[in-house]
Structures are given as structure tokens and as C-alpha cells.
Amino acid sequence: MRIKIQGGVEIRLQGKPNQEVDETVAVRSIALLGEDYPGLRPIINVAAGQRVRAGERLFTDRRRPGLVYTAPVAGTVRAIAHGRRRSLDSIVIDVEGDEAVEFERPAQPDRMTVQSLLMASGGWQALRTRPFGRIADAAAVPDAVFVTAIDTAPLAGDPAPVIRRFETWFRLGAGALRHLTDGSVYVCQAADASLPDVEGTTTVRFSGRHPAGLPSTHIHHIHPVGEGRMVWHIGYQDVIAIGCLLDTGRIWTRRVIALTGPGTHNPRLALAPPGANLRDLFGNGLTGPAVQLLSGSPLGGAAEHFLRRYDVQAAAIPHQPPPRRSLLSRYLRPPDDERAPPPLIPNAVHERAAPCAILPAPFLRAISTGDAETAAKLGALELVEEDLALLNYVDGSGTDYGALLRATLDELEDRL
């Protein structure tokens, strides 16, 4: 199956990575970030100064006690930081050694054994849902599973060479996903990619500009979600990680990270641990001290000290002064509510940047005014924050439409 995405926006930036993988990057610390897991109520099982193995339990969730969060590397817990109301801010681990927990591998994988292995090893968090973009519920059975093996974000690395390098693990991981659904497993890839065909899965080739590589785009064209319909999706490197776990009994303690952006002398791919310290990743390759490091792409990345759970790209961007607000924008913004988004003036660029089948003007008005019911009718249930990053980029108003969408999705989820 081939699908060509119309519209979209091509963002041209300096700093596209060399596709050869650098295996010499030395990462001294990693972190698990609480913001990667919204709604988490952690029960911490380790203490600062404690030595941990890769795959060892760090904490669980009070609301979902069977869901285990494990150390992605071996090392020593340096710090545990809490946020408001004892929420988890971060757990920082100093990387040292290669000790790892040995998990029992199923001789004949089925839904129960694959699910139990992923829950115990910390791999289950790789599976996320549409609608709402939450970690999958182990008690549910999705209508389909989508593997995202394409990346059209600005300066992103090419998934194809990574998948070919770890082809055996990718095949094992993708094959295991068949046990988690009664429907199809779709492997979504670029139209010109030469990836291995996995028995029992369906290959779908996408072409076009960004957002052609986003899971929501694939889901909309193949298996739209909404009331009573639910699918899961997973990134290609997490599929490789599942294959590693099934093959070796150990978690995969590496990821291939694209180090990109105009703020680095040496944009490249690097083999590094999940949650790596961004300063360690870029090392001495930055163009100067006035550089901001983002976890994610320049389009939708967040300023962080460590790589976020689902990111396989980091960007170095020279600092820029914040835009000055014009007298007109100050006049248009209601004086009694500085947080209210400015009036939306739709144009052709909004149409190209909008997610598939979304009418940008009425949709953005709905989420801006808190009209969750209208937003749902206009397609909100198919989307998450990353799907509105292009609109944030082209809009220029400074409004964070992703945050407005999340507030809308939370309201719709609470109604269930």
C-alpha cells in the first residue's frame, strides 16, 4: 500500500546529520523524566547512592502497580527529584558498568508472555494509544498496532539504516507485536525505504512533506480512531528494543540518536543510552556557549538537560532574543487575561501545516476557547501535541496549540 500526503511544509535548516553512526560518544549520566509520564503517581523503589543494574526496577505507578519503570543503564542513582505533591520530577543515574537483569524469555511467545515480559522489563511504556496519547492499558486489546519507521521531522535521521543494522531484532520485535492485537500490525515507512518485510505485518509506504512521518497521519489514513475505536503505536527503535529483549533476555541499553542543528559543528548519528545527558551527547561539538539544546527536533523539541523518553533526536539551536510584542498585538489581547490566545487569522500556510483532514481555523478556535465537544467532532481524538507543532511554527502568534490540545484531550478523557 502506498499513500501520498498532500500539503505539509518543508522546513529547511542547517545541521542535517551524517548517516554514519558514531559509537564513541561517552555519556556520563542519564535521567528518567516524570513529565514523560503524565498522571504518574510513583512508588519509588530505590534511593540516592544505590547501585542499579540495567533493567532493575526504579519505581512503579500507584494507579497501575503492574507497570514497572526500570533503569535503562547500569550505574549509581545520583539524585531523585520530586515535583509538586510528591510527583516525580526526575531520577538521575551516573552511568557505570554493564550489569543487567536477566529476564526469562518465552519459548513460544503469546499475548500473555509478551505482555508480562514487557511490563516487567519497562518496555511496555513504548506502546501508546490513540486517542489521547497515553501509555497503553494492558487490559485492552487494540484494533491495530502501528510501527512508525519513517521520520519527516526537520533534520531527523533516516530510520532505514538503523533498522537494517539491527534487522534481526527488528524482525523479532515486530513479530511479537502481532500477539498484542487481533487486528493488523502496520509497518509505516518511507516510499523509497528498503526495509525487511516481517511475516504477519502489513507494509505501508508514505511519501510527502512533514507531517507524513507522524503516527497520527498514518492512523488517519489507515485506521481512523474515535468513539469506540482505539489503536496503539510504537517507534521503530522501541521495536528493536523488544527484539533485543526477546533475543538476549536483557533490555537494549542503547539508542541511535540524531545530533542535529545549526548549533553543532558535527551533526551526526550517535549510539547512546536512553535519557542521555544532552551536554554529554554534543560534547565539544557546539558552535559556542550561546546554544540551546533541545530534546527532539527544532520544530517541536523541548529545552531539556536530558533526552526525553520518546525522542531519538536532539537539536542544538543558537539562542535568539524573544520576539517583541507589537502595539497591535497588545491592543488585540484582552487586558484582563494575559494568557488568552490572540485572534486567529487563517491563511493558506495554516491549511498546509494542519494535520490531515483538520480544518485549522474552526479547530484552533475550538481548542482555544475550551470547546471540547466541537474539537472532538473536528478530529481532536486523532491528535496529540506533536501534530500541532507545524501550526505553532507557521502561526507566529506564540500560542502553544499543543498545550491547548492537551487540555482539550484531558477534558474529553475525563468524560469517559
Side-chain angles (χ1 to χ4, degrees), residues 170-371:
F170 183 80
R171 287 181 179 275
L172 280 172
L177 296 176
R178 294 177 299 166
H179 300 293
L180 302 180
T181 178
D182 296 330
S184 299
V185 175
Y186 297 101
V187 179
C188 303
Q189 57 188 264
D192 58 352
S194 178
L195 300 183
D197 291 326
V198 179
E199 183 180 357
T201 68
T202 301
T203 297
V204 186
R205 298 181 181 275
F206 284 83
S207 60
R209 294 184 287 260
H210 193 66
L214 293 181
S216 296
T217 301
H218 309 155
I219 293 166
H220 169 77
H221 282 88
I222 300 171
H223 195 109
V225 298
E227 187 174 352
R229 293 167 64 91
M230 181 263 297
V231 301
W232 296 351
H233 68 94
I234 183 173
Y236 70 99
Q237 295 205 41
D238 282 313
V239 174
I240 293 170
I242 293 175
C244 173
L245 182 63
L246 289 169
D247 183 41
T248 67
R250 295 185 171 200
I251 67 168
W252 190 33
T253 60
R254 292 291 181 266
R255 296 293 186 272
V256 178
I257 309 301
L259 306 180
T260 67
T264 177
H265 293 297
N266 185 23
R268 65 200 189 280
L269 303 182
L271 195 63
N277 185 306
L278 296 183
R279 284 285 172 185
D280 292 345
L281 282 177
F282 284 97
N284 297 323
L286 299 176
T287 57
V291 172
Q292 185 177 51
L293 301 184
L294 305 179
S295 177
S297 78
L299 181 63
E304 296 281 0
H305 295 293
F306 297 91
L307 198 68
R308 296 180 298 185
R309 167 64 179 84
Y310 301 103
D311 289 337
V312 291
Q313 180 182 359
I317 308 295
H319 274 292
Q320 297 180 350
R324 295 182 60 185
R325 288 174 54 194
S326 67
L327 291 176
L328 177 61
S329 68
R330 295 178 187 178
Y331 175 76
L332 292 174
R333 186 182 294 272
D336 59 341
D337 188 358
E338 285 295 315
R339 297 171 298 174
L344 173 66
I345 304 176
N347 55 51
V349 178
H350 285 88
E351 298 287 343
R352 294 197 302 270
C356 295
I358 295 295
L359 300 173
F363 179 78
L364 295 181
R365 288 193 191 102
I367 64 173
S368 297
T369 58
D371 187 352

Side-chain angles (χ1 to χ4, degrees), residues 38 131-134 367 383-385 388 401-413:
F132 305 123
R134 300 302 192 190
I367 64 173
L383 308 177
V384 292
E385 294 92 322
L388 300 189
Y401 291 118
L404 295 175
L405 172 63
R406 176 48 60 190
T408 300
L409 291 174
D410 288 345
E411 181 177 342
L412 291 170
E413 191 174 18

Side-chain angles (χ1 to χ4, degrees), residues 73-92:
V73 295
T76 302
V77 177
R78 182 204 304 172
I80 301 173
H82 292 279
R84 296 178 58 189
R85 298 181 180 178
R86 299 298 293 172
S87 63
L88 178 66
D89 183 65
S90 65
I91 295 181
V92 180

Side-chain angles (χ1 to χ4, degrees), residues 113-131:
T113 56
V114 170
Q115 176 181 303
S116 297
L117 179 61
L118 294 180
M119 295 279 282
S121 65
W124 187 262
Q125 291 85 326
L127 294 159
R128 290 176 287 169
T129 66
R130 290 290 196 280

